[in-house]
Amino acid sequence: TRLIMICSIPMYIAGLIDDFKISSSAYLRISIMAISGFLVWYFLGLRIESVDIWFIDYFLGISLIQFLFVCIAIVGVANAFNIVDGFNGLVQSHVLAIGLSLVAGLSINNQQETTLFFLGVIFSTLGVFVLNFPFGKIFLGDSGAYLLGFLVAIAVIFHYQQNNFSPWYVLTMLSYPVFEVIFSIVRKIKIKKSPLKPDDLHLHMIIHKRVQKIFIASADFNWVHHVSVTVILFTFNFPFLLLAQTFSKDTTALIFVNIFYCL
């Protein structure tokens, strides 16, 4: 656990740069975040050797490509968590749902060290959640969102490797933030806009616009909109986490689950 936290330092620093409004390019922040990807690859021995797609697995047999894949995956998930951190309790509730479902499975398999790591993530997230949801007394910031994304990605990847789960288990557990990033990139490329530029067409923002039309609230009761968006997305996403646990070793089933989620 101590080594994981040391590896997370560059990721956290990249978020602090944004939180303190220090002028920097997105490319610089991504480069700093990639250092954390290198550290977990080098010191923790994190490897993604298969995604159960033969032509991709062939290239993952090349060390350099495997290293780049790990870095891109870690940086991508961290950024994804930051993107979906738009409303009070949204990211934290999703992390808590992932963490609790993981701990339930770990308890059965008696993986004490890994269970303690997940519990650490759960309770630290819970400490922020109770002050953030619903009234927004404290916020994660970019540094908190990046850190949570990093820790959850590491946890889910190690969990699937230790239990010989399907690689698609990882994608299913992280389907909400990952698909949000994929949709964002495709959408911006389609309109010839840089994928690194923000917009207001993310799923939580679209739901928020609909909620505003249904529940008209004054500025003092804006938290009602936050609660509505968070509850709607939690209700939508949680069944897919359960499906990931149910079909954790069945690649075919998990592929269909992700296609359904994508649709």
Side-chain angles (χ1 to χ4, degrees), residues 199-219:
D199 64 17
D200 62 351
L201 295 175
H202 297 294
L203 182 58
H204 58 274
M205 294 177 176
I206 295 172
I207 293 175
H208 181 240
K209 292 175 184 177
R210 299 292 181 91
V211 167
Q212 283 182 312
K213 293 179 180 179
I214 299 172
F215 303 109
I216 299 174
S218 65

Side-chain angles (χ1 to χ4, degrees), residues 171 177-187:
L171 178 59
V178 169
F179 276 113
E180 187 67 74
V181 167
I182 293 173
F183 274 65
S184 178
I185 292 172
V186 172
R187 178 175 68 246

